[in-house]
Amino acid sequence: AQSVTQLGSHVSVSEGALVLLRCNYSSSVPPYLFWYVQYPNQGLQLLLKYTSAATLVKGINGFEAEFKKSETSFHLTKPSAHMSDAAEYFCAVSDFGNEKLTFGTGTRLTIIP
Amino acid sequence: GAVVSQHPSWVICKSGTSVKIECRSLDFQATTMFWYRQFPKQSLMLMATSNEGSKATYEQGVEKDKFLINHASLTLSTLTVTSAHPEDSSFYICSAHETSQETQYFGPGTRLLVL
């Protein structure tokens, strides 16, 4: 069975500071990993995904994530936070060949001016 | 590319009535779509998997007679909340699986308020 743990339900960073959102997963087979962002009253937008190609994945809006098999992690980072990054971020995992996603509980990112 | 739409974006209805929500993949075909429910400040809860041309697969605890799902074409799935009650008020989100990209793309969501 798959599972996703997002450490920190709330993260606050200053504008211009590094953003680090943590995601750890468990999966019995090589996983596909995703980060989605949700703005208030909207659906989810795909930020980036890992599907067994390069371990460092670059996404939209300057975000990137690194797949570390030894640590079963897929943390999301951005070098310099912008006010527009304030949103809810969800990490999700699926198994190869399984279309169903398992979501983490989400991390609310607040940007301090 | 990979755009998913939902209609309506919000709906208010009286208790006891039925409400239909449409989910469309606009620029790709999707044999599999998913319906989620999201409570305030919580993660998404998968309700059911919608399969084109066959019956939907419901998650444990989801009433299939209450939440009717139809996936009649490769670009359209519908969720009908039958005999809606105030406790059905929620934010409903659909997604469509883009097979070549092995990725789910999400609609903008539908907010349902049952009075």
Side-chain angles (χ1 to χ4, degrees):
Chain A
Q2 312 161 71
S3 68
V4 176
T5 301
Q6 290 184 242
L7 289 176
S9 58
H10 291 86
V11 171
S12 295
V13 301
S14 297
E15 189 176 14
L18 171 71
V19 175
L20 171 60
L21 304 183
R22 300 178 186 276
C23 173
N24 289 88
Y25 70 92
S26 68
S27 177
S28 57
V29 297
Y32 289 169
L33 293 158
F34 305 82
W35 276 100
Y36 289 90
V37 61
Q38 184 179 33
Y39 298 100
N41 298 310
Q42 294 186 27
L44 275 66
Q45 180 182 6
L46 179 68
L47 273 178
L48 49 79
K49 64 181 180 182
Y50 166 78
T51 55
S52 75
T55 56
L56 181 62
V57 181
K58 294 186 183 299
I60 63 172
N61 301 339
F63 284 94
E64 63 181 38
E66 186 173 7
F67 172 68
K68 292 187 176 181
K69 184 178 179 180
S70 61
E71 299 177 7
T72 61
S73 69
F74 190 58
H75 301 330
L76 182 71
T77 60
K78 181 174 180 177
S80 177
H82 191 273
M83 294 300 294
S84 60
D85 294 328
E88 188 86 18
Y89 292 80
F90 292 97
C91 181
V93 63
S94 70
D95 290 339
F96 173 76
N98 185 349
E99 300 163 331
K100 192 182 291 188
L101 287 172
T102 299
F103 282 92
T105 51
T107 297
R108 182 170 299 274
L109 177 64
T110 300
I111 309 299
I112 303 167
Chain B
V3 178
V4 177
S5 69
Q6 267 184 257
H7 178 79
S9 57
W10 60 270
V11 57
I12 301 173
C13 69
K14 294 182 179 180
S15 185
T17 60
S18 294
V19 175
K20 179 185 284 188
I21 303 170
E22 292 186 348
C23 178
R24 294 181 185 272
S25 56
L26 298 185
D27 50 3
F28 66 99
Q29 295 183 328
T31 55
T32 307
M33 293 184 174
F34 299 88
W35 287 95
Y36 297 85
R37 185 173 178 176
Q38 187 178 33
F39 293 100
K41 301 188 178 185
Q42 294 189 27
S43 188
L44 280 71
M45 181 190 78
L46 179 64
M47 299 174 65
T49 302
S50 173
N51 303 295
E52 188 269 336
S54 64
K55 291 184 179 180
T57 304
Y58 290 83
E59 295 299 302
Q60 190 173 9
V62 177
E63 300 176 61
K64 61 180 180 181
D65 295 330
K66 172 87 174 158
F67 298 99
L68 300 179
I69 292 172
N70 183 274
H71 194 155
S73 78
L74 288 173
T75 59
L76 173 64
S77 175
T78 60
L79 169 69
T80 301
V81 183
T82 62
S83 186
H85 291 282
E87 56 266 31
D88 298 324
S89 299
S90 192
F91 192 53
Y92 293 87
I93 306 175
C94 74
S95 71
H97 188 261
E98 211 289 357
T99 304
S100 66
Q101 298 183 37
E102 299 172 297
T103 300
Q104 282 188 36
Y105 290 94
F106 287 79
T110 297
R111 187 160 301 283
L112 171 64
L113 177 61
V114 184
L115 302 177

mmCIF file of all heavy atoms in Angstrom, chain A residues 71-103:
data_model
loop_
_atom_site.group_PDB
_atom_site.id
_atom_site.type_symbol
_atom_site.label_atom_id
_atom_site.label_comp_id
_atom_site.label_asym_id
_atom_site.label_seq_id
_atom_site.Cartn_x
_atom_site.Cartn_y
_atom_site.Cartn_z
ATOM 1 N N GLU A 71 16.159 7.940 0.819
ATOM 2 C CA GLU A 71 15.449 8.639 1.891
ATOM 3 C C GLU A 71 13.924 8.571 1.689
ATOM 4 O O GLU A 71 13.196 9.123 2.510
ATOM 5 C CB GLU A 71 15.888 10.110 1.934
ATOM 6 C CG GLU A 71 17.367 10.299 2.212
ATOM 7 C CD GLU A 71 17.795 11.752 2.190
ATOM 8 O OE1 GLU A 71 16.915 12.639 2.086
ATOM 9 O OE2 GLU A 71 19.013 12.009 2.283
ATOM 10 N N THR A 72 13.484 7.924 0.657
ATOM 11 C CA THR A 72 12.063 7.883 0.255
ATOM 12 C C THR A 72 11.444 9.270 0.361
ATOM 13 O O THR A 72 10.380 9.465 0.959
ATOM 14 C CB THR A 72 11.255 6.860 1.087
ATOM 15 O OG1 THR A 72 11.294 7.221 2.471
ATOM 16 C CG2 THR A 72 11.789 5.464 0.896
ATOM 17 N N SER A 73 12.129 10.241 -0.231
ATOM 18 C CA SER A 73 11.655 11.620 -0.138
ATOM 19 C C SER A 73 11.502 12.245 -1.520
ATOM 20 O O SER A 73 12.121 11.814 -2.502
ATOM 21 C CB SER A 73 12.622 12.454 0.709
ATOM 22 O OG SER A 73 13.857 12.631 0.039
ATOM 23 N N PHE A 74 10.697 13.283 -1.549
ATOM 24 C CA PHE A 74 10.472 14.048 -2.784
ATOM 25 C C PHE A 74 10.125 15.470 -2.355
ATOM 26 O O PHE A 74 9.018 15.946 -2.543
ATOM 27 C CB PHE A 74 9.354 13.403 -3.604
ATOM 28 C CG PHE A 74 9.198 13.960 -5.000
ATOM 29 C CD1 PHE A 74 10.254 13.940 -5.900
ATOM 30 C CD2 PHE A 74 7.981 14.471 -5.431
ATOM 31 C CE1 PHE A 74 10.113 14.432 -7.195
ATOM 32 C CE2 PHE A 74 7.820 14.970 -6.719
ATOM 33 C CZ PHE A 74 8.887 14.953 -7.595
ATOM 34 N N HIS A 75 11.092 16.146 -1.754
ATOM 35 C CA HIS A 75 10.860 17.482 -1.208
ATOM 36 C C HIS A 75 10.791 18.538 -2.315
ATOM 37 O O HIS A 75 11.543 18.485 -3.295
ATOM 38 C CB HIS A 75 11.970 17.857 -0.223
ATOM 39 C CG HIS A 75 12.099 16.911 0.927
ATOM 40 N ND1 HIS A 75 11.035 16.192 1.450
ATOM 41 C CD2 HIS A 75 13.186 16.556 1.664
ATOM 42 C CE1 HIS A 75 11.441 15.440 2.451
ATOM 43 N NE2 HIS A 75 12.741 15.635 2.608
ATOM 44 N N LEU A 76 9.942 19.504 -2.108
ATOM 45 C CA LEU A 76 9.724 20.595 -3.072
ATOM 46 C C LEU A 76 10.488 21.827 -2.618
ATOM 47 O O LEU A 76 10.400 22.202 -1.442
ATOM 48 C CB LEU A 76 8.225 20.908 -3.169
ATOM 49 C CG LEU A 76 7.802 21.988 -4.152
ATOM 50 C CD1 LEU A 76 7.969 21.494 -5.588
ATOM 51 C CD2 LEU A 76 6.358 22.396 -3.906
ATOM 52 N N THR A 77 11.197 22.468 -3.538
ATOM 53 C CA THR A 77 11.955 23.663 -3.176
ATOM 54 C C THR A 77 11.783 24.756 -4.215
ATOM 55 O O THR A 77 11.432 24.503 -5.378
ATOM 56 C CB THR A 77 13.463 23.368 -3.032
ATOM 57 O OG1 THR A 77 13.959 22.882 -4.289
ATOM 58 C CG2 THR A 77 13.733 22.339 -1.952
ATOM 59 N N LYS A 78 12.024 25.981 -3.740
ATOM 60 C CA LYS A 78 12.084 27.137 -4.620
ATOM 61 C C LYS A 78 13.080 28.107 -3.995
ATOM 62 O O LYS A 78 12.978 28.391 -2.800
ATOM 63 C CB LYS A 78 10.718 27.795 -4.783
ATOM 64 C CG LYS A 78 10.735 29.005 -5.716
ATOM 65 C CD LYS A 78 9.337 29.540 -5.962
ATOM 66 C CE LYS A 78 9.387 30.752 -6.910
ATOM 67 N NZ LYS A 78 8.038 31.269 -7.241
ATOM 68 N N PRO A 79 14.051 28.582 -4.738
ATOM 69 C CA PRO A 79 15.125 29.394 -4.143
ATOM 70 C C PRO A 79 14.641 30.694 -3.509
ATOM 71 O O PRO A 79 15.166 31.104 -2.480
ATOM 72 C CB PRO A 79 16.051 29.679 -5.338
ATOM 73 C CG PRO A 79 15.728 28.639 -6.350
ATOM 74 C CD PRO A 79 14.272 28.327 -6.172
ATOM 75 N N SER A 80 13.638 31.318 -4.130
ATOM 76 C CA SER A 80 13.224 32.628 -3.651
ATOM 77 C C SER A 80 11.706 32.736 -3.697
ATOM 78 O O SER A 80 11.102 32.737 -4.770
ATOM 79 C CB SER A 80 13.850 33.719 -4.530
ATOM 80 O OG SER A 80 13.422 34.999 -4.126
ATOM 81 N N ALA A 81 11.104 32.837 -2.524
ATOM 82 C CA ALA A 81 9.641 32.844 -2.431
ATOM 83 C C ALA A 81 9.074 34.164 -2.935
ATOM 84 O O ALA A 81 9.641 35.248 -2.717
ATOM 85 C CB ALA A 81 9.210 32.617 -0.990
ATOM 86 N N HIS A 82 7.921 34.033 -3.576
ATOM 87 C CA HIS A 82 7.181 35.204 -4.065
ATOM 88 C C HIS A 82 5.817 35.199 -3.407
ATOM 89 O O HIS A 82 5.287 34.143 -3.059
ATOM 90 C CB HIS A 82 7.061 35.116 -5.593
ATOM 91 C CG HIS A 82 6.551 36.369 -6.229
ATOM 92 N ND1 HIS A 82 5.207 36.634 -6.382
ATOM 93 C CD2 HIS A 82 7.206 37.428 -6.738
ATOM 94 C CE1 HIS A 82 5.062 37.807 -6.964
ATOM 95 N NE2 HIS A 82 6.255 38.314 -7.193
ATOM 96 N N MET A 83 5.242 36.365 -3.254
ATOM 97 C CA MET A 83 3.932 36.469 -2.606
ATOM 98 C C MET A 83 2.900 35.580 -3.291
ATOM 99 O O MET A 83 2.018 35.011 -2.644
ATOM 100 C CB MET A 83 3.445 37.909 -2.589
ATOM 101 C CG MET A 83 4.281 38.860 -1.740
ATOM 102 S SD MET A 83 4.352 38.375 -0.001
ATOM 103 C CE MET A 83 2.637 38.607 0.469
ATOM 104 N N SER A 84 3.011 35.446 -4.599
ATOM 105 C CA SER A 84 2.033 34.653 -5.347
ATOM 106 C C SER A 84 2.159 33.151 -5.084
ATOM 107 O O SER A 84 1.326 32.372 -5.551
ATOM 108 C CB SER A 84 2.182 34.914 -6.847
ATOM 109 O OG SER A 84 3.475 34.552 -7.273
ATOM 110 N N ASP A 85 3.201 32.743 -4.354
ATOM 111 C CA ASP A 85 3.366 31.313 -4.034
ATOM 112 C C ASP A 85 2.481 30.877 -2.871
ATOM 113 O O ASP A 85 2.389 29.673 -2.583
ATOM 114 C CB ASP A 85 4.832 31.020 -3.680
ATOM 115 C CG ASP A 85 5.771 31.218 -4.856
ATOM 116 O OD1 ASP A 85 5.347 30.978 -6.002
ATOM 117 O OD2 ASP A 85 6.924 31.630 -4.615
ATOM 118 N N ALA A 86 1.854 31.812 -2.203
ATOM 119 C CA ALA A 86 0.984 31.468 -1.078
ATOM 120 C C ALA A 86 -0.181 30.610 -1.568
ATOM 121 O O ALA A 86 -0.968 31.041 -2.419
ATOM 122 C CB ALA A 86 0.456 32.726 -0.416
ATOM 123 N N ALA A 87 -0.273 29.390 -1.062
ATOM 124 C CA ALA A 87 -1.274 28.425 -1.532
ATOM 125 C C ALA A 87 -1.156 27.163 -0.696
ATOM 126 O O ALA A 87 -0.344 27.076 0.229
ATOM 127 C CB ALA A 87 -1.060 28.097 -3.009
ATOM 128 N N GLU A 88 -1.968 26.166 -1.053
ATOM 129 C CA GLU A 88 -1.892 24.832 -0.444
ATOM 130 C C GLU A 88 -1.166 23.925 -1.417
ATOM 131 O O GLU A 88 -1.449 23.939 -2.619
ATOM 132 C CB GLU A 88 -3.300 24.295 -0.185
ATOM 133 C CG GLU A 88 -3.358 23.011 0.614
ATOM 134 C CD GLU A 88 -3.336 23.243 2.116
ATOM 135 O OE1 GLU A 88 -3.618 24.368 2.554
ATOM 136 O OE2 GLU A 88 -3.019 22.283 2.851
ATOM 137 N N TYR A 89 -0.234 23.147 -0.897
ATOM 138 C CA TYR A 89 0.567 22.260 -1.743
ATOM 139 C C TYR A 89 0.343 20.817 -1.325
ATOM 140 O O TYR A 89 0.402 20.482 -0.136
ATOM 141 C CB TYR A 89 2.056 22.619 -1.642
ATOM 142 C CG TYR A 89 2.379 23.959 -2.259
ATOM 143 C CD1 TYR A 89 2.128 25.137 -1.571
ATOM 144 C CD2 TYR A 89 2.908 24.032 -3.541
ATOM 145 C CE1 TYR A 89 2.393 26.370 -2.148
ATOM 146 C CE2 TYR A 89 3.187 25.260 -4.125
ATOM 147 C CZ TYR A 89 2.924 26.423 -3.423
ATOM 148 O OH TYR A 89 3.193 27.633 -4.011
ATOM 149 N N PHE A 90 0.103 19.969 -2.319
ATOM 150 C CA PHE A 90 -0.156 18.554 -2.067
ATOM 151 C C PHE A 90 0.877 17.698 -2.786
ATOM 152 O O PHE A 90 1.129 17.881 -3.980
ATOM 153 C CB PHE A 90 -1.549 18.154 -2.565
ATOM 154 C CG PHE A 90 -2.679 18.768 -1.791
ATOM 155 C CD1 PHE A 90 -3.316 19.904 -2.249
ATOM 156 C CD2 PHE A 90 -3.111 18.190 -0.594
ATOM 157 C CE1 PHE A 90 -4.359 20.471 -1.537
ATOM 158 C CE2 PHE A 90 -4.157 18.753 0.123
ATOM 159 C CZ PHE A 90 -4.775 19.896 -0.349
ATOM 160 N N CYS A 91 1.424 16.751 -2.054
ATOM 161 C CA CYS A 91 2.288 15.728 -2.626
ATOM 162 C C CYS A 91 1.437 14.488 -2.855
ATOM 163 O O CYS A 91 0.536 14.197 -2.044
ATOM 164 C CB CYS A 91 3.438 15.425 -1.665
ATOM 165 S SG CYS A 91 4.621 14.202 -2.237
ATOM 166 N N ALA A 92 1.678 13.775 -3.946
ATOM 167 C CA ALA A 92 0.877 12.590 -4.246
ATOM 168 C C ALA A 92 1.763 11.513 -4.869
ATOM 169 O O ALA A 92 2.767 11.816 -5.512
ATOM 170 C CB ALA A 92 -0.275 12.933 -5.176
ATOM 171 N N VAL A 93 1.353 10.272 -4.687
ATOM 172 C CA VAL A 93 2.108 9.136 -5.216
ATOM 173 C C VAL A 93 1.168 8.172 -5.930
ATOM 174 O O VAL A 93 0.009 8.023 -5.548
ATOM 175 C CB VAL A 93 2.865 8.399 -4.080
ATOM 176 C CG1 VAL A 93 1.887 7.802 -3.072
ATOM 177 C CG2 VAL A 93 3.775 7.312 -4.636
ATOM 178 N N SER A 94 1.655 7.589 -6.994
ATOM 179 C CA SER A 94 0.936 6.479 -7.629
ATOM 180 C C SER A 94 1.960 5.428 -8.017
ATOM 181 O O SER A 94 3.145 5.721 -8.157
ATOM 182 C CB SER A 94 0.150 6.931 -8.857
ATOM 183 O OG SER A 94 1.029 7.284 -9.910
ATOM 184 N N ASP A 95 1.512 4.215 -8.148
ATOM 185 C CA ASP A 95 2.386 3.138 -8.590
ATOM 186 C C ASP A 95 2.384 3.076 -10.104
ATOM 187 O O ASP A 95 1.402 3.428 -10.745
ATOM 188 C CB ASP A 95 1.905 1.787 -8.044
ATOM 189 C CG ASP A 95 2.101 1.685 -6.552
ATOM 190 O OD1 ASP A 95 2.929 2.441 -6.011
ATOM 191 O OD2 ASP A 95 1.405 0.853 -5.935
ATOM 192 N N PHE A 96 3.482 2.583 -10.662
ATOM 193 C CA PHE A 96 3.551 2.380 -12.108
ATOM 194 C C PHE A 96 2.383 1.512 -12.539
ATOM 195 O O PHE A 96 2.137 0.449 -11.970
ATOM 196 C CB PHE A 96 4.863 1.709 -12.480
ATOM 197 C CG PHE A 96 4.938 1.320 -13.918
ATOM 198 C CD1 PHE A 96 5.164 2.279 -14.897
ATOM 199 C CD2 PHE A 96 4.768 0.008 -14.317
ATOM 200 C CE1 PHE A 96 5.224 1.929 -16.232
ATOM 201 C CE2 PHE A 96 4.835 -0.354 -15.656
ATOM 202 C CZ PHE A 96 5.060 0.607 -16.606
ATOM 203 N N GLY A 97 1.637 1.973 -13.537
ATOM 204 C CA GLY A 97 0.517 1.209 -14.047
ATOM 205 C C GLY A 97 -0.777 1.392 -13.284
ATOM 206 O O GLY A 97 -1.800 0.862 -13.670
ATOM 207 N N ASN A 98 -0.736 2.141 -12.196
ATOM 208 C CA ASN A 98 -1.944 2.403 -11.398
ATOM 209 C C ASN A 98 -2.267 3.883 -11.509
ATOM 210 O O ASN A 98 -1.469 4.722 -11.113
ATOM 211 C CB ASN A 98 -1.701 2.003 -9.947
ATOM 212 C CG ASN A 98 -2.956 2.135 -9.097
ATOM 213 O OD1 ASN A 98 -3.952 2.705 -9.517
ATOM 214 N ND2 ASN A 98 -2.893 1.608 -7.888
ATOM 215 N N GLU A 99 -3.417 4.188 -12.019
ATOM 216 C CA GLU A 99 -3.755 5.585 -12.254
ATOM 217 C C GLU A 99 -4.188 6.319 -10.998
ATOM 218 O O GLU A 99 -4.219 7.531 -10.955
ATOM 219 C CB GLU A 99 -4.863 5.653 -13.312
ATOM 220 C CG GLU A 99 -4.449 5.046 -14.643
ATOM 221 C CD GLU A 99 -5.637 4.733 -15.535
ATOM 222 O OE1 GLU A 99 -6.739 4.463 -15.002
ATOM 223 O OE2 GLU A 99 -5.472 4.753 -16.765
ATOM 224 N N LYS A 100 -4.537 5.582 -9.952
ATOM 225 C CA LYS A 100 -5.063 6.192 -8.744
ATOM 226 C C LYS A 100 -3.946 6.872 -7.964
ATOM 227 O O LYS A 100 -2.841 6.343 -7.820
ATOM 228 C CB LYS A 100 -5.740 5.135 -7.885
ATOM 229 C CG LYS A 100 -6.566 5.681 -6.746
ATOM 230 C CD LYS A 100 -7.159 4.560 -5.906
ATOM 231 C CE LYS A 100 -8.213 3.778 -6.639
ATOM 232 N NZ LYS A 100 -8.910 2.827 -5.743
ATOM 233 N N LEU A 101 -4.252 8.059 -7.437
ATOM 234 C CA LEU A 101 -3.297 8.823 -6.641
ATOM 235 C C LEU A 101 -3.601 8.698 -5.152
ATOM 236 O O LEU A 101 -4.766 8.656 -4.755
ATOM 237 C CB LEU A 101 -3.353 10.306 -7.000
ATOM 238 C CG LEU A 101 -2.757 10.753 -8.344
ATOM 239 C CD1 LEU A 101 -3.078 12.219 -8.593
ATOM 240 C CD2 LEU A 101 -1.259 10.521 -8.361
ATOM 241 N N THR A 102 -2.541 8.664 -4.355
ATOM 242 C CA THR A 102 -2.670 8.781 -2.907
ATOM 243 C C THR A 102 -2.072 10.127 -2.517
ATOM 244 O O THR A 102 -0.910 10.401 -2.822
ATOM 245 C CB THR A 102 -1.936 7.642 -2.185
ATOM 246 O OG1 THR A 102 -2.519 6.397 -2.578
ATOM 247 C CG2 THR A 102 -2.048 7.806 -0.683
ATOM 248 N N PHE A 103 -2.861 10.954 -1.849
ATOM 249 C CA PHE A 103 -2.437 12.306 -1.508
ATOM 250 C C PHE A 103 -1.932 12.403 -0.076
ATOM 251 O O PHE A 103 -2.382 11.684 0.822
ATOM 252 C CB PHE A 103 -3.610 13.278 -1.652
ATOM 253 C CG PHE A 103 -3.898 13.672 -3.066
ATOM 254 C CD1 PHE A 103 -4.812 12.960 -3.822
ATOM 255 C CD2 PHE A 103 -3.254 14.753 -3.645
ATOM 256 C CE1 PHE A 103 -5.075 13.317 -5.133
ATOM 257 C CE2 PHE A 103 -3.511 15.120 -4.954
ATOM 258 C CZ PHE A 103 -4.424 14.396 -5.702
#
